[in-house]
């Protein structure tokens, strides 16, 4: 059995995290940040993808951990005046937008958390309500996605440049503007999911589709919903039976979970593919906008980038998917379902995007905490 695990960790092409497999027993997952030092491999990956020195990479990770801890405190302190937040890599600080109606005491309470305060025209609640109204609209193919942008103080709608003059796109934008404050930006390409046909030697497989494991949970693993429907059988890198999709949702959501057995087991690991060492998963504290984030997948292995937006609605050809996180990390077909991780904290499973890892692109992930809550699962942590 130990030989099988080694083969999985070395050959298990697919995705990030987890060696997958079999009965899981362990302590319940923590969503708190960890004090464990960053691995040399993670620092090397950040040096490669961000052009940082080792000291700069260490400082950025430390600053992001502080910002993650500050974000929830600042949100509570701001209350109804909260307008959103983002991490600034240059200053190493978390900025929190607060509406002008906030009292001096509220502003002092937010600053006391360690956050930088900026005045916002609209509250996050106001912008979220506007986005929810846009979510009810039927988007044409030329509309790529939309999300609340705290910096812009509006709902940002991305439109494929070549289709911006399309009548259906223009009509959608008019309806969107009627729903609330909207900013339009150009998308390079339309998003697509990253599932792929069978490629020998890389798990996991469902029929003729290859996808990537996301994160181990007690009793199985989580992945993307477009990789398989509930009840579908799943086989691993060696084509041996793993289990079945126990739950799956796509579109609207893009998440699923698979039970494991038949000699497979779960471990709290994200594969580094030789680019970095395998990464331990210690929790699932959500990184703020602007923080660094890395992805592991069976096709393109390990790549890093930045969190660009949260709660974005992505308009795939199969239908819209909600509550996604957008990143500057590249991905390609077969990476679907794979792990997004920030430091040692699980973030989400790869859904889709545009571009590739030669010329660059953007990728969305479905937040892991949403998946855990939806199915009542516990993340397997170190």
């Amino acid at each position: 059995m130990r030989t099988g695990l080694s083969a999985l960790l070395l050959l298990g092409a697919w995705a990030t995290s987890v060696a997958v497999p079999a009965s899981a027993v362990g302590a319940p997952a923590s969503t708190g940040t960890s004090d464990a030092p960053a691995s040399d491999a993670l620092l090397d990956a950040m040096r490669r993808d961000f052009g940082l020195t080792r000291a700069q990479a260490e400082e950025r990770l430390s600053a992001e951990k502080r910002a993650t801890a500050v974000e929830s405190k600042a949100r509570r302190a701001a209350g109804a005046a909260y307008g959103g937040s983002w991490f600034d890599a240059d200053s190493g600080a978390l900025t929190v937008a607060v509406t002008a109606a906030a009292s001096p005491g509220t502003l002092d309470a937010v600053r006391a958390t360690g956050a930088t305060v900026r005045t916002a025209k609209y509250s996050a609640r106001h912008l979220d309500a506007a986005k929810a109204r846009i979510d009810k609209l039927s988007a044409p193919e030329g509309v790529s996605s939309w999300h609340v942008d705290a910096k812009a103080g509006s709902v940002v709608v991305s439109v494929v440049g070549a289709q911006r003059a399309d009548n259906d796109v223009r009509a959608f934008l008019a309806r969107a503007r009627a729903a609330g404050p909207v900013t339009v930006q150009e998308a390079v390409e339309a998003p697509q999911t990253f599932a792929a046909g069978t490629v020998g030697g890389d798990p996991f497989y469902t029929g003729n589709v290859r996808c990537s494991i996301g994160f181990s949970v007690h009793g199985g693993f989580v992945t993307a919903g477009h990789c398989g429907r509930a009840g579908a059988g799943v086989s691993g890198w060696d084509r041996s039976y793993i289990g079945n999709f126990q739950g799956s949702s796509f579109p609207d959501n893009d998440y699923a979970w698979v039970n494991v057995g038949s000699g497979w087991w779960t471990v709290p690991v994200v594969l580094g593919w030789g680019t970095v060492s395998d990464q331990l998963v210690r929790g699932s504290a959500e990184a703020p906008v602007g923080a660094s984030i890395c992805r592991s997948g069976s096709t393109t292995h390990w790549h890093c980038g930045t969190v660009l937006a949260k709660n974005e609605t992505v308009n795939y050809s199969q239908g819209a998917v909600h509550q996604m996180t957008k990143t500057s990390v590249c991905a390609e077909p077969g990476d679907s379902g794979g792990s997004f991780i920030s430091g040692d904290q699980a973030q989400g499973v790869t859904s889709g995007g545009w571009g590739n890892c030669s010329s660059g692109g953007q990728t969305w992930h479905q937040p892991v905490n949403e998946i855990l809550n939806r199915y009542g699962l516990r993340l397997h942590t170190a």
Side-chain angles (χ1 to χ4, degrees):
M1 194 63 69
R2 186 174 298 276
T3 300
L5 175 60
S6 298
L8 175 65
L9 292 174
L10 294 174
L11 305 176
W14 49 356
T16 323
S17 350
V18 175
V20 76
S23 68
V25 181
S30 168
T31 57
T33 55
S34 167
D35 293 327
S39 68
D40 289 341
L42 176 58
L43 295 172
D44 288 343
M46 292 188 68
R47 290 169 62 189
R48 179 198 68 189
D49 291 343
F50 288 100
L52 303 175
T53 65
R54 181 184 177 93
Q56 289 171 332
E58 289 176 331
E59 175 52 34
R60 175 157 180 173
L61 286 173
S62 296
E64 289 174 355
K65 284 185 178 181
R66 291 192 297 270
T68 299
V70 164
E71 187 173 39
S72 59
K73 298 175 184 177
R75 180 191 289 264
R76 288 194 298 271
Y82 179 74
S85 60
W86 59 92
F87 174 78
D88 182 73
D90 292 331
S91 67
L94 183 78
T95 298
V96 175
V98 180
T99 62
S103 68
T106 296
L107 294 175
D108 289 342
V110 175
R111 292 191 181 98
T113 68
T116 299
V117 176
R118 194 173 103 173
T119 302
K121 183 175 181 180
Y122 301 106
S123 69
R125 185 178 301 174
H126 181 94
L127 295 175
D128 287 342
K131 178 183 177 294
R133 289 190 286 271
I134 298 173
D135 281 344
K136 295 178 181 178
L137 303 177
S138 178
E141 190 174 300
V143 176
S144 171
S145 63
W146 54 95
H147 70 275
V148 169
D149 187 325
K151 268 188 179 181
S154 66
V155 179
V156 174
V157 179
S158 296
V159 176
V160 178
Q163 299 186 54
R164 185 160 182 171
D166 179 83
N167 286 337
D168 290 339
V169 171
R170 294 171 67 181
F172 175 87
L173 292 176
R175 294 193 298 272
R177 289 189 176 100
V182 163
T183 300
V184 179
Q185 69 177 20
E186 184 172 307
V188 179
E189 298 177 26
Q192 61 182 342
T193 57
F194 287 128
T198 300
V199 175
D202 284 343
F204 67 94
Y205 300 95
T206 302
N208 67 343
V209 171
R210 169 171 63 85
C211 278
S212 300
I213 287 178
F215 293 95
S216 282
V217 296
H218 290 281
F221 65 82
V222 294
T223 188
H226 71 263
C227 291
R229 296 301 182 190
V234 172
S235 58
W237 65 270
D238 60 354
R239 293 293 188 169
S240 66
Y241 175 75
I242 295 177
N244 297 81
F245 278 87
Q246 298 297 298
S248 178
S249 179
F250 179 80
D252 187 26
N253 305 292
D254 194 5
Y255 51 60
W257 83 281
V258 175
N259 69 328
V260 302
S262 303
W264 291 77
W265 63 97
T266 60
V267 295
V269 170
V270 171
L271 296 178
W273 298 104
T275 302
V276 301
S277 59
D278 296 341
Q279 301 293 299
L280 291 175
V281 178
R282 300 186 185 276
S284 56
E286 188 175 336
V289 169
S292 63
I293 192 168
C294 298
R295 180 194 55 73
S296 176
S298 58
T299 300
T300 58
H301 299 172
W302 186 273
H303 288 274
C304 299
T306 303
V307 178
L308 299 177
K310 295 184 181 182
N311 191 24
E312 182 153 40
T313 299
V314 181
N315 191 37
Y316 293 129
S317 61
Q318 301 94 328
V321 176
H322 304 93
Q323 297 179 311
M324 303 274 271
T325 296
K326 179 165 68 176
T327 76
S328 64
V329 187
C330 67
E332 295 179 13
D335 288 326
S336 279
S339 323
F340 268 91
I341 188 168
S342 183
D344 55 13
Q345 300 294 304
Q347 299 297 306
V349 300
T350 303
S351 174
W354 60 267
N356 55 56
C357 289
S358 296
S359 58
Q362 294 178 342
T363 303
W364 286 268
H365 70 73
Q366 186 91 67
V368 69
N369 287 330
E370 181 184 355
I371 309 172
L372 300 177
N373 292 335
R374 169 62 180 83
Y375 294 117
L377 302 170
R378 287 193 304 150
L379 187 67
H380 191 171
T381 57

